[in-house]
Amino acid sequence: MSTEKHGHKHHGKSTRDILDPKRVLGAAGLNESQTFLDAGCGDGFISLEASKVVKDRGKVYALDAYQPSLDTLKKEINELQIGNMEVVNADMTLNIPLGDDLIDVCVMANVLHGFATEGTLKPVLNEISRVLKPGGTFAVVEFIKADGPPGPPYDVRLTPEQVESILEDHGFTIGGTAEVGSYHYLVKSFKK
């Protein structure tokens, strides 16, 4: 069975070495006891850091469509004996199998450009909005629009202004943009 639904390709590369999850979660405003969704978590390096931030009273959902990455993450969760994290295999273009108004903070790192390229922004962002609490934070991390590695081809990269426009078009309120690494920026937004 293919996990490459709707033409989205998972490249299997982690940005673990070039993106600091502490900076991402700090810019997103994640706090203790909150419920966090890592939408398109890949190998889960942001989720693992989030589990430390939200602590025992918080909850982390690490969601991805690519089962091999999730299997690796599950092993790491078991080895580290993390009790506040749940791994979710799902295609966000179809649904996010979580309840309405559940999530305080959602981070989507290096994934939005793929949905933009394949024309599946509407179903994905509708699902993100559905699972976010009113006033909840949706933080999008993307590679800066520049040539060359690391990251996706130049023509599929998004500028912060393009990300803001996409989010506004889908009902989110923009809360600002921050640099979160040498190659990345984060656009913070809120569910109305």
Side-chain angles (χ1 to χ4, degrees), residues 4 6 10 17 31 39 46 51 78 88 92 97 104 106 116 124 132-133 135 143 147 153 171 178 184 189:
E4 294 184 6
H6 300 286
H10 186 287
D17 297 334
N31 292 303
I46 294 174
S51 76
N78 289 334
V88 182
M92 287 183 278
D104 293 297
C106 173
V124 171
L132 273 177
K133 292 177 179 174
F143 279 93
D147 267 324
H184 292 89
S189 70

mmCIF file of all heavy atoms in Angstrom, residues 4 6 10 17 31 39 46 51 78 88 92 97 104 106 116 124 132-133 135 143 147 153 171 178 184 189:
data_model
loop_
_atom_site.group_PDB
_atom_site.id
_atom_site.type_symbol
_atom_site.label_atom_id
_atom_site.label_comp_id
_atom_site.label_asym_id
_atom_site.label_seq_id
_atom_site.Cartn_x
_atom_site.Cartn_y
_atom_site.Cartn_z
ATOM 1 N N GLU A 4 1.885 7.473 -0.526
ATOM 2 C CA GLU A 4 2.030 8.700 -1.310
ATOM 3 C C GLU A 4 0.696 9.081 -1.946
ATOM 4 O O GLU A 4 0.551 9.154 -3.151
ATOM 5 C CB GLU A 4 3.114 8.515 -2.381
ATOM 6 C CG GLU A 4 4.478 8.339 -1.762
ATOM 7 C CD GLU A 4 5.593 8.243 -2.778
ATOM 8 O OE1 GLU A 4 5.322 8.418 -3.977
ATOM 9 O OE2 GLU A 4 6.721 7.985 -2.360
ATOM 10 N N HIS A 6 -2.397 11.306 -3.162
ATOM 11 C CA HIS A 6 -2.535 12.630 -3.787
ATOM 12 C C HIS A 6 -1.214 13.191 -4.288
ATOM 13 O O HIS A 6 -1.021 14.394 -4.314
ATOM 14 C CB HIS A 6 -3.171 13.638 -2.810
ATOM 15 C CG HIS A 6 -4.535 13.216 -2.366
ATOM 16 N ND1 HIS A 6 -5.632 13.292 -3.163
ATOM 17 C CD2 HIS A 6 -4.955 12.685 -1.204
ATOM 18 C CE1 HIS A 6 -6.688 12.836 -2.518
ATOM 19 N NE2 HIS A 6 -6.303 12.460 -1.329
ATOM 20 N N HIS A 10 7.100 11.874 0.229
ATOM 21 C CA HIS A 10 7.881 12.062 1.445
ATOM 22 C C HIS A 10 9.320 11.764 1.089
ATOM 23 O O HIS A 10 9.624 10.687 0.611
ATOM 24 C CB HIS A 10 7.383 11.124 2.547
ATOM 25 C CG HIS A 10 8.037 11.371 3.860
ATOM 26 N ND1 HIS A 10 9.342 11.012 4.102
ATOM 27 C CD2 HIS A 10 7.593 11.957 4.992
ATOM 28 C CE1 HIS A 10 9.654 11.350 5.328
ATOM 29 N NE2 HIS A 10 8.614 11.919 5.891
ATOM 30 N N ASP A 17 19.134 18.152 11.851
ATOM 31 C CA ASP A 17 20.476 18.734 11.972
ATOM 32 C C ASP A 17 20.537 20.239 11.688
ATOM 33 O O ASP A 17 21.526 20.880 12.007
ATOM 34 C CB ASP A 17 21.450 18.014 11.029
ATOM 35 C CG ASP A 17 21.603 16.546 11.383
ATOM 36 O OD1 ASP A 17 21.392 16.193 12.560
ATOM 37 O OD2 ASP A 17 21.918 15.752 10.481
ATOM 38 N N ASN A 31 3.599 25.933 25.718
ATOM 39 C CA ASN A 31 3.806 25.994 27.166
ATOM 40 C C ASN A 31 3.449 24.677 27.836
ATOM 41 O O ASN A 31 2.780 23.816 27.246
ATOM 42 C CB ASN A 31 2.928 27.102 27.780
ATOM 43 C CG ASN A 31 3.384 28.473 27.341
ATOM 44 O OD1 ASN A 31 4.531 28.848 27.535
ATOM 45 N ND2 ASN A 31 2.491 29.226 26.728
ATOM 46 N N ALA A 39 2.088 18.386 12.863
ATOM 47 C CA ALA A 39 1.400 17.988 11.636
ATOM 48 C C ALA A 39 2.407 17.762 10.515
ATOM 49 O O ALA A 39 2.961 18.707 9.975
ATOM 50 C CB ALA A 39 0.384 19.054 11.235
ATOM 51 N N ILE A 46 10.707 17.350 16.441
ATOM 52 C CA ILE A 46 9.994 18.470 17.087
ATOM 53 C C ILE A 46 9.042 17.927 18.156
ATOM 54 O O ILE A 46 8.942 18.478 19.255
ATOM 55 C CB ILE A 46 9.265 19.342 16.046
ATOM 56 C CG1 ILE A 46 10.294 20.051 15.145
ATOM 57 C CG2 ILE A 46 8.350 20.362 16.722
ATOM 58 C CD1 ILE A 46 9.700 20.827 13.984
ATOM 59 N N SER A 51 7.312 17.164 23.838
ATOM 60 C CA SER A 51 6.905 16.333 24.986
ATOM 61 C C SER A 51 7.595 16.795 26.272
ATOM 62 O O SER A 51 7.023 16.698 27.358
ATOM 63 C CB SER A 51 7.183 14.855 24.719
ATOM 64 O OG SER A 51 8.556 14.550 24.850
ATOM 65 N N ASN A 78 9.490 4.597 22.976
ATOM 66 C CA ASN A 78 9.581 3.469 23.912
ATOM 67 C C ASN A 78 10.921 3.458 24.644
ATOM 68 O O ASN A 78 10.965 3.259 25.861
ATOM 69 C CB ASN A 78 9.371 2.137 23.177
ATOM 70 C CG ASN A 78 7.931 1.963 22.747
ATOM 71 O OD1 ASN A 78 7.017 2.527 23.340
ATOM 72 N ND2 ASN A 78 7.711 1.201 21.694
ATOM 73 N N VAL A 88 0.349 9.174 15.316
ATOM 74 C CA VAL A 88 -0.867 9.058 14.516
ATOM 75 C C VAL A 88 -0.496 8.941 13.037
ATOM 76 O O VAL A 88 0.146 9.835 12.483
ATOM 77 C CB VAL A 88 -1.780 10.300 14.711
ATOM 78 C CG1 VAL A 88 -3.073 10.160 13.913
ATOM 79 C CG2 VAL A 88 -2.080 10.527 16.190
ATOM 80 N N MET A 92 -3.344 13.954 6.003
ATOM 81 C CA MET A 92 -4.061 15.188 6.365
ATOM 82 C C MET A 92 -4.961 15.710 5.252
ATOM 83 O O MET A 92 -5.856 16.502 5.511
ATOM 84 C CB MET A 92 -3.069 16.283 6.748
ATOM 85 C CG MET A 92 -2.422 16.062 8.076
ATOM 86 S SD MET A 92 -1.314 17.428 8.519
ATOM 87 C CE MET A 92 0.162 16.971 7.618
ATOM 88 N N PRO A 97 -7.423 12.318 12.433
ATOM 89 C CA PRO A 97 -8.303 11.544 13.327
ATOM 90 C C PRO A 97 -8.212 11.976 14.791
ATOM 91 O O PRO A 97 -7.896 11.188 15.677
ATOM 92 C CB PRO A 97 -7.813 10.108 13.119
ATOM 93 C CG PRO A 97 -6.373 10.241 12.759
ATOM 94 C CD PRO A 97 -6.259 11.540 11.998
ATOM 95 N N ASP A 104 -4.014 23.006 21.390
ATOM 96 C CA ASP A 104 -3.628 24.378 21.741
ATOM 97 C C ASP A 104 -2.668 24.965 20.709
ATOM 98 O O ASP A 104 -2.806 26.119 20.306
ATOM 99 C CB ASP A 104 -2.922 24.406 23.109
ATOM 100 C CG ASP A 104 -3.843 24.037 24.253
ATOM 101 O OD1 ASP A 104 -4.823 24.776 24.468
ATOM 102 O OD2 ASP A 104 -3.587 23.024 24.918
ATOM 103 N N CYS A 106 -0.367 23.926 17.103
ATOM 104 C CA CYS A 106 -0.017 23.020 16.015
ATOM 105 C C CYS A 106 1.168 23.612 15.268
ATOM 106 O O CYS A 106 1.158 24.790 14.924
ATOM 107 C CB CYS A 106 -1.188 22.836 15.054
ATOM 108 S SG CYS A 106 -0.774 21.882 13.574
ATOM 109 N N ALA A 116 0.678 23.058 -0.990
ATOM 110 C CA ALA A 116 0.453 24.169 -1.930
ATOM 111 C C ALA A 116 0.732 23.711 -3.362
ATOM 112 O O ALA A 116 -0.039 24.010 -4.284
ATOM 113 C CB ALA A 116 1.338 25.361 -1.567
ATOM 114 N N VAL A 124 -6.571 20.248 3.988
ATOM 115 C CA VAL A 124 -5.598 20.175 5.080
ATOM 116 C C VAL A 124 -5.833 21.295 6.095
ATOM 117 O O VAL A 124 -5.917 21.048 7.299
ATOM 118 C CB VAL A 124 -4.152 20.234 4.539
ATOM 119 C CG1 VAL A 124 -3.151 20.386 5.670
ATOM 120 C CG2 VAL A 124 -3.839 18.991 3.712
ATOM 121 N N LEU A 132 -7.972 22.566 16.052
ATOM 122 C CA LEU A 132 -7.464 23.633 16.931
ATOM 123 C C LEU A 132 -8.576 24.188 17.820
ATOM 124 O O LEU A 132 -9.704 24.361 17.375
ATOM 125 C CB LEU A 132 -6.905 24.794 16.114
ATOM 126 C CG LEU A 132 -5.456 24.741 15.669
ATOM 127 C CD1 LEU A 132 -5.149 25.964 14.800
ATOM 128 C CD2 LEU A 132 -4.484 24.669 16.827
ATOM 129 N N LYS A 133 -8.218 24.502 19.065
ATOM 130 C CA LYS A 133 -9.146 25.211 19.936
ATOM 131 C C LYS A 133 -9.360 26.620 19.395
ATOM 132 O O LYS A 133 -8.470 27.166 18.739
ATOM 133 C CB LYS A 133 -8.562 25.312 21.353
ATOM 134 C CG LYS A 133 -8.453 23.994 22.075
ATOM 135 C CD LYS A 133 -7.810 24.167 23.444
ATOM 136 C CE LYS A 133 -7.729 22.826 24.154
ATOM 137 N NZ LYS A 133 -6.993 22.925 25.425
ATOM 138 N N GLY A 135 -8.879 30.293 19.094
ATOM 139 C CA GLY A 135 -7.732 31.067 19.549
ATOM 140 C C GLY A 135 -6.436 30.282 19.557
ATOM 141 O O GLY A 135 -5.384 30.816 19.901
ATOM 142 N N PHE A 143 11.259 26.533 4.650
ATOM 143 C CA PHE A 143 12.580 26.958 4.205
ATOM 144 C C PHE A 143 12.481 28.353 3.597
ATOM 145 O O PHE A 143 11.522 28.654 2.878
ATOM 146 C CB PHE A 143 13.119 26.013 3.128
ATOM 147 C CG PHE A 143 13.723 24.750 3.669
ATOM 148 C CD1 PHE A 143 12.963 23.606 3.812
ATOM 149 C CD2 PHE A 143 15.065 24.711 4.037
ATOM 150 C CE1 PHE A 143 13.521 22.431 4.306
ATOM 151 C CE2 PHE A 143 15.633 23.545 4.538
ATOM 152 C CZ PHE A 143 14.861 22.404 4.665
ATOM 153 N N ASP A 147 17.945 29.664 -3.283
ATOM 154 C CA ASP A 147 18.421 28.546 -4.082
ATOM 155 C C ASP A 147 19.300 27.612 -3.280
ATOM 156 O O ASP A 147 20.008 28.034 -2.376
ATOM 157 C CB ASP A 147 19.267 29.068 -5.266
ATOM 158 C CG ASP A 147 18.428 29.255 -6.515
ATOM 159 O OD1 ASP A 147 17.513 28.435 -6.731
ATOM 160 O OD2 ASP A 147 18.679 30.210 -7.255
ATOM 161 N N PRO A 153 13.218 22.265 -4.049
ATOM 162 C CA PRO A 153 13.570 23.146 -5.168
ATOM 163 C C PRO A 153 13.021 24.564 -4.959
ATOM 164 O O PRO A 153 11.971 24.749 -4.346
ATOM 165 C CB PRO A 153 12.893 22.485 -6.380
ATOM 166 C CG PRO A 153 12.631 21.075 -5.968
ATOM 167 C CD PRO A 153 12.469 21.082 -4.477
ATOM 168 N N GLY A 171 -8.803 31.521 6.789
ATOM 169 C CA GLY A 171 -9.476 31.926 8.015
ATOM 170 C C GLY A 171 -8.618 32.099 9.254
ATOM 171 O O GLY A 171 -9.149 32.267 10.349
ATOM 172 N N ALA A 178 8.908 34.947 12.366
ATOM 173 C CA ALA A 178 10.180 34.928 13.084
ATOM 174 C C ALA A 178 11.179 34.055 12.336
ATOM 175 O O ALA A 178 10.806 33.057 11.724
ATOM 176 C CB ALA A 178 9.979 34.376 14.493
ATOM 177 N N HIS A 184 15.394 28.648 7.900
ATOM 178 C CA HIS A 184 13.954 28.571 8.157
ATOM 179 C C HIS A 184 13.364 29.834 8.778
ATOM 180 O O HIS A 184 14.027 30.540 9.509
ATOM 181 C CB HIS A 184 13.656 27.405 9.118
ATOM 182 C CG HIS A 184 13.904 26.072 8.529
ATOM 183 N ND1 HIS A 184 15.113 25.443 8.601
ATOM 184 C CD2 HIS A 184 13.088 25.246 7.834
ATOM 185 C CE1 HIS A 184 15.038 24.269 7.988
ATOM 186 N NE2 HIS A 184 13.823 24.132 7.513
ATOM 187 N N SER A 189 0.138 31.960 13.449
ATOM 188 C CA SER A 189 -1.232 32.404 13.193
ATOM 189 C C SER A 189 -2.156 31.809 14.264
ATOM 190 O O SER A 189 -1.746 30.937 15.034
ATOM 191 C CB SER A 189 -1.694 31.982 11.795
ATOM 192 O OG SER A 189 -1.871 30.573 11.718
#
